[in-house]
């Protein structure tokens, strides 16, 4: 189920596209049907003989999920349905598995739109009840799925996201110079990467930066930086603080260039109130960029011992961590070494292998149940 394949930029889109590439590279012998909502995506995987691509028309997200997909399942003889994002048909016609990228709408419901809160409260528990298995992108997420959605432990499996190898490879000085010129990056800068919405804690980040960055002559570069939802005012915070000239907004940056941002930055700042599995943290660590992030949920799980962890609700704590990273060369060296070491275990191949293993187990149990019923 790939109606979100070309959605807004961000972690789920990267996850989906990299996971599919890695799954196909495993050469498992399975046949895949990729179902899109956007017909323009047909042909994306034309090079793969074991992939059939179909576009399913639907007037809304709900009718696509609940009517168009089950119809395709029956028509195409699909034996197992997988959605790399949450949601499945309640009457799928075959076993189904979906990926939970975090339950922030349960942990901090005030940070979601009303329409989303209603959907999440009434539909997601039903998706959880219907799924044969749920993949959680971190152990924190797995615990939340069991707690908030009342799912039995045996139906929730932690399979961590990966990090592209592009972030592990050294970047030449010539390439760094090219990236710096392309985006007009300053000589020294602090980095934020990602969209902006309430869990990202952007207002406190900017207030903390305002205490440290301008006085040291170090701008803040916001890679991504669009208002995903409920954060229009947050985008205005630099102007409200009188530091607008210190904040650069290059927009969304593709991974081939983003690695240069990490390599050039003094540090990545991601003191989110909530993250399930923050890809920028993993990417920065792989690229050798020191990280300042939150001391809770997924960022603590991924980065503890390899990043400076802070209380994300304290502007002063975030500011103090930024000062430490800027001034303590020993700490910086330790963070770079520890981050690279930690990031090695997060690969898309490992993510794909774990995902395929769960899908195969679900399919095997389903086939066993049918044989048992037939006997």
């Amino acid at each position: 189920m790939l109606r979100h394949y070309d959605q807004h930029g961000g972690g789920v889109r990267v996850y989906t596209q990299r996971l599919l590439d890695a799954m196909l590279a495993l050469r498992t012998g399975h046949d895949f049907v990729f179902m899109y909502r956007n017909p323009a995506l047909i042909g994306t995987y034309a090079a793969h003989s074991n992939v059939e691509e179909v576009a399913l028309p639907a007037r809304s997200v709900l009718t696509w999920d609940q009517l168009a997909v089950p119809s395709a399942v029956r028509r195409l003889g699909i034996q197992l349905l997988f959605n790399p994002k949450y949601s499945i048909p309640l009457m799928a016609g075959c076993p189904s598995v979906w990926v939970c990228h975090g339950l922030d709408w349960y942990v901090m419901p005030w940070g979601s739109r009303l329409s989303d809160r209603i959907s999440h409260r009434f539909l997601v528990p039903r998706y959880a009840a219907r799924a044969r298995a749920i993949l959680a992108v971190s152990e924190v997420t797995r615990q939340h799925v069991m707690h908030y959605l009342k799912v039995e432990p045996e139906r929730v499996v932690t399979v961590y996201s990966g990090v592209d190898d592009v972030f592990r490879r050294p970047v030449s000085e010539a390439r760094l110079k090219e990236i710096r010129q392309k985006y007009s990056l300053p000589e020294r800068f602090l980095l934020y990467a990602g969209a902006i919405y309430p869990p990202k804690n952007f207002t406190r980040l900017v207030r903390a930066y305002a205490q440290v960055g301008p006085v040291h002559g170090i701008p803040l570069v916001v890679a991504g930086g669009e208002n995903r939802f409920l954060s229009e005012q947050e985008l205005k915070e630099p102007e409200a603080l009188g530091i607008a000239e210190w904040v650069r907004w290059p927009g969304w940056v593709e991974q081939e260039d983003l690695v240069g941002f990490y390599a050039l930055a003094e540090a990545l700042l991601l003191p989110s109130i909530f993250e399930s599995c923050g890809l920028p943290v993993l990417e920065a660590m792989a690229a050798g960029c020191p990280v300042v992030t939150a001391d809770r949920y997924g960022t603590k799980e991924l980065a503890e011992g390899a990043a400076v962890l802070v209380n994300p609700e304290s502007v002063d704590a975030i500011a103090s961590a930024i000062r430490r990273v800027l001034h303590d060369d020993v700490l910086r060296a330790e963070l770079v070494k520890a981050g690279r070491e930690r990031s090695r275990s997060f690969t898309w191949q490992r993510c794909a292998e774990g995902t395929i293993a769960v899908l195969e187990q679900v399919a095997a149990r389903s086939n066993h149940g049918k044989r048992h019923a037939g006997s």
Side-chain angles (χ1 to χ4, degrees):
M1 295 176 64
L2 298 175
R3 64 170 165 78
H4 66 284
Y5 188 91
D6 55 345
Q7 70 171 17
H8 56 77
V12 175
R13 181 178 179 178
V14 171
Y15 172 94
T16 299
Q17 296 179 3
R18 298 301 181 266
L19 173 61
L20 295 182
D21 289 341
M23 288 171 67
L24 293 173
L26 293 178
R27 302 186 183 279
T28 59
H30 298 301
D31 293 319
F32 297 87
V33 178
F34 288 179
M35 296 181 286
Y36 310 119
R37 189 178 179 192
N38 180 3
L41 293 171
I42 298 292
T44 303
Y45 293 88
H48 296 272
S49 60
N50 61 333
V51 175
E52 178 180 357
E53 297 174 286
V54 297
L56 309 179
R59 292 187 176 182
S60 69
V61 165
L62 197 60
T63 57
W64 194 91
D65 284 354
Q66 303 304 326
L67 298 178
V69 171
S71 176
V73 167
R74 293 189 295 271
R75 184 175 72 254
L76 300 171
I78 292 169
Q79 296 170 297
L80 180 71
L81 192 61
F82 174 55
N83 191 348
K85 192 179 180 182
Y86 80 89
S87 89
I88 53 173
L90 297 179
M91 301 296 289
C94 69
S96 55
V97 178
W98 56 275
V99 179
C100 183
H101 291 275
L103 293 178
D104 51 287
W105 53 84
Y106 283 92
V107 177
M108 45 175 293
W110 54 266
S112 296
R113 292 167 294 201
L114 178 60
S115 59
D116 290 334
R117 293 204 301 270
I118 292 172
S119 170
H120 296 148
R121 283 291 178 183
F122 289 96
L123 287 176
V124 174
R126 288 165 173 78
Y127 301 150
R130 290 283 185 174
R132 296 290 179 89
I134 299 172
L135 299 179
V137 296
S138 62
E139 184 58 29
V140 162
T141 304
R142 181 174 182 268
Q143 296 299 323
H144 285 166
V145 169
M146 292 188 293
H147 174 71
Y148 290 108
L149 301 180
K150 313 303 180 187
V151 178
E152 305 89 338
E154 60 271 17
R155 282 201 295 128
V156 193
V157 182
T158 299
V159 178
Y160 288 102
S161 300
V163 180
D164 273 15
D165 286 340
V166 67
F167 295 107
R168 309 182 203 278
R169 292 192 289 265
V171 187
S172 70
E173 288 300 321
R175 178 69 176 129
L176 289 176
K177 182 179 179 180
E178 178 187 336
I179 292 170
R180 191 188 294 277
Q181 291 177 342
K182 179 179 178 179
Y183 294 95
S184 300
L185 295 176
E187 189 64 28
R188 300 179 70 195
F189 63 91
L190 293 157
L191 177 66
Y192 171 87
I196 296 173
Y197 50 104
K200 297 298 184 177
N201 203 29
F202 189 72
T203 294
R204 290 192 183 95
L205 182 157
V206 172
R207 290 175 181 174
Y209 163 77
Q211 295 183 21
V212 182
V215 73
H216 288 88
I218 301 176
L220 173 66
V221 172
V222 182
E226 67 180 15
N227 169 28
R228 186 169 160 193
F229 57 82
L230 299 181
S231 289
E232 184 177 352
Q233 283 300 120
E234 293 195 88
L235 300 182
K236 301 175 183 177
E237 190 65 18
E239 184 177 355
L241 294 175
I243 59 166
E245 70 274 16
W246 288 97
V247 182
R248 313 289 178 84
W249 305 82
W252 282 103
V253 180
E254 294 301 323
Q255 292 192 314
E256 291 73 17
D257 288 347
L258 185 58
V259 62
F261 280 63
Y262 290 130
L264 293 167
E266 299 292 314
L268 172 74
L269 309 182
L270 198 75
S272 304
I273 297 174
F274 181 90
E275 295 276 355
S276 53
C277 182
L279 284 180
V281 170
L282 294 176
E283 293 166 353
M285 291 194 301
C289 177
V291 175
V292 174
T293 192
D295 63 356
R296 59 192 65 178
Y297 303 121
T299 50
K300 180 180 181 181
E301 179 180 338
L302 297 179
E304 189 168 25
V308 178
L309 301 184
V310 300
N311 174 2
E313 297 179 69
S314 169
V315 170
D316 289 342
I318 300 169
S320 176
I322 297 172
R323 290 189 191 95
R324 287 182 61 201
V325 171
L326 289 176
H327 296 304
D328 190 334
D329 291 339
V330 174
L331 172 64
R332 289 180 60 82
E334 291 173 349
L335 293 177
V336 169
K337 181 180 178 181
R340 282 183 167 143
E341 182 64 32
R342 176 69 62 83
S343 72
R344 288 195 182 102
S345 61
F346 297 93
T347 69
W348 287 116
Q349 178 178 334
R350 181 172 292 184
C351 180
E353 289 170 346
T355 300
I356 287 288
V358 171
L359 300 181
E360 289 176 339
Q361 289 164 9
V362 169
R365 288 197 298 267
S366 176
N367 290 334
H368 177 75
K370 290 178 181 177
R371 288 195 298 272
H372 183 71
S375 64

